[in-house]
Amino acid sequence: MDISVVVPLYNEEESIAELHEWIKRVMDLNHFTYEVIFVNDGSTDHSWDEIERLSQTHPEVHGIKFRRNYGKSPALYHGFEKAQGDVVITMDADLQDSPDEIPELYKMIKEEGYDLVSGYKMNRRQGDPLSKTIPTKLFNATTRMVSGIHNLHDFNCGLKAYRRDVVKHIEVYGEMHRFIPYLAKNAGFSKIGEKPVHHQARQHGVSKFMGWNRFVNGYLDLISLWFIDSFGMKPMHIFGFIGTLMFIAGFIAIVCVGASKLIDLHNNTPHALVTESPYFYISLTTMILGTQLFVAGFLGDLISRNSPERNKYQVEKEV
């Protein structure tokens, strides 16, 4: 199979049929063999009914239905797991991503050798609110700096193309869909490109991803991903190091307090009790905190960051 198109969606019943027809028209024109995987992320409208109806008359249409809303990352995870195409295309279901971009994205993967190609919505409409545009610009600038992927301008664009090996070797969980290029790079897929794509106005409903909470959550996820990449498999290197430094500093300080007391005793000079010195308690606290951090690093090494239940989601139906 040439292409798998993975479409995560939440309450997009008005767009599903139109999107499928558009994808089908592009695929037939270019003689691609393909499948379309709709992942219904707990929609409360009739989205699943539309998917089931399409699957009955179009064998290339498949669907996954979650029992409740988990988020875009879990939807992509299950879509990637099911995908069989040599090239996997992801796009949103709101008709803002154009299926007309698929042939060029496919070419960049198959002929130009890219592992991943991310869309860049250069023609975003000027009417987007500041609560969306400012966080987006800051988020992308910070992600470029942290990830080291300096040629991407729009990490969060839903329209992306992947070599199949990429989606089978990365784990998208939580809200990590924003950082799939970073995940791919960490997995050893370094040839990452970008393609300017046409951005269309939303035809139906309203955006599900607005506001400053995207900004805050995005940065928290980025810090988490950076930490996991740097220390996830070796937590002792960070916790043990900091803990050891704190313990040594506290130990040296308490030795200094004790030595000062002994010098006063030797010289028969007036002296206070060691426990009356605030430096004694500061030193003791530092040693205790250092020991706790060291133990945390040791336990982190034993547990590691892998959780066998991390990608367990309740799938109600598949078609």
Side-chain angles (χ1 to χ4, degrees):
M1 185 181 296
D2 295 323
I3 297 174
S4 293
V5 181
V6 177
V7 184
L9 61 97
Y10 177 71
N11 289 347
E12 298 286 359
E13 62 175 315
E14 303 96 339
S15 304
I16 293 172
E18 186 176 347
L19 177 61
H20 169 258
E21 183 59 34
W22 194 354
I23 293 173
K24 185 177 186 303
R25 185 167 63 249
V26 171
M27 296 297 188
D28 291 345
L29 183 64
N30 291 272
H31 308 291
F32 289 132
T33 55
Y34 71 101
E35 63 181 353
V36 183
I37 304 170
F38 290 103
V39 186
N40 181 26
D41 185 25
S43 296
T44 56
D45 61 1
H46 296 288
S47 292
W48 182 249
D49 296 334
E50 282 292 304
I51 295 168
E52 283 190 316
R53 182 184 64 78
L54 286 172
S55 69
Q56 292 170 2
T57 55
H58 299 279
E60 74 276 3
V61 173
H62 306 288
I64 300 171
K65 181 184 180 184
F66 287 168
R67 288 188 181 276
R68 66 173 181 84
N69 179 249
Y70 287 105
K72 191 172 183 178
S73 291
L76 288 174
Y77 174 81
H78 273 276
F80 289 164
E81 193 175 49
K82 192 178 181 68
Q84 298 297 317
D86 293 337
V87 174
V88 179
I89 306 285
T90 60
M91 62 174 53
D92 295 334
D94 54 13
L95 300 175
Q96 291 185 287
D97 295 331
S98 171
D100 291 334
E101 305 285 355
I102 290 176
E104 186 62 27
L105 290 170
Y106 178 84
K107 179 182 177 182
M108 291 179 73
I109 297 292
K110 294 295 286 184
E111 298 181 17
E112 299 179 30
Y114 284 99
D115 297 314
L116 183 156
V117 179
S118 181
Y120 175 27
K121 298 174 181 177
M122 296 183 65
N123 67 319
R124 274 188 182 275
R125 61 190 178 90
Q126 297 300 312
D128 280 352
L130 291 179
S131 62
K132 185 174 183 179
T133 56
I134 292 177
T136 296
K137 289 181 181 296
L138 291 173
F139 166 77
N140 284 315
T142 306
T143 307
R144 281 195 297 272
M145 180 180 65
V146 173
S147 68
I149 307 174
H150 300 293
N151 62 322
L152 295 191
H153 295 83
D154 189 0
F155 282 79
N156 201 29
C157 178
L159 185 57
K160 289 183 173 67
Y162 311 81
R163 191 178 305 279
R164 182 170 60 182
D165 283 350
V166 175
V167 302
K168 299 301 184 183
H169 288 88
I170 62 173
E171 184 181 16
V172 189
Y173 62 94
E175 293 189 37
M176 292 298 177
H177 59 274
R178 302 180 180 95
F179 307 108
I180 290 181
Y182 193 9
L183 292 171
K185 180 187 175 186
N186 291 342
F189 299 98
S190 58
K191 192 165 185 183
I192 298 172
E194 183 175 74
K195 180 188 182 301
V197 297
H198 182 66
H199 179 66
Q200 305 215 127
R202 171 179 277 274
Q203 301 296 315
H204 308 284
V206 295
S207 174
K208 316 302 188 297
F209 305 102
M210 296 284 283
W212 286 86
N213 62 314
R214 298 167 62 247
F215 178 67
V216 176
N217 292 340
Y219 273 105
L220 293 176
D221 289 337
L222 181 60
I223 292 170
S224 175
L225 184 56
W226 170 82
F227 187 86
I228 288 172
D229 177 48
S230 300
F231 304 107
M233 300 306 293
K234 46 187 178 183
M236 190 60 157
H237 287 200
I238 181 66
F239 290 112
F241 176 71
I242 295 175
T244 300
L245 286 182
M246 291 186 67
F247 183 88
I248 292 173
F251 181 77
I252 292 173
I254 208 167
V255 167
C256 291
V257 172
S260 177
K261 170 80 172 188
L262 291 175
I263 292 172
D264 288 341
L265 287 173
H266 182 267
N267 295 328
N268 292 319
T269 56
H271 57 273
L273 294 174
V274 170
T275 54
E276 292 180 358
S277 171
Y279 298 108
F280 172 78
Y281 296 102
I282 293 173
S283 303
L284 199 60
T285 302
T286 303
M287 291 177 66
I288 292 172
L289 289 175
T291 302
Q292 290 179 329
L293 283 171
F294 187 90
V295 171
F298 180 72
L299 292 175
D301 258 5
L302 293 178
I303 298 170
S304 79
R305 71 182 182 90
N306 298 309
S307 170
E309 300 297 318
R310 184 161 59 198
N311 270 313
K312 294 289 186 179
Y313 306 107
Q314 294 294 320
V315 176
E316 183 178 348
K317 291 181 181 179
E318 292 191 28
V319 293

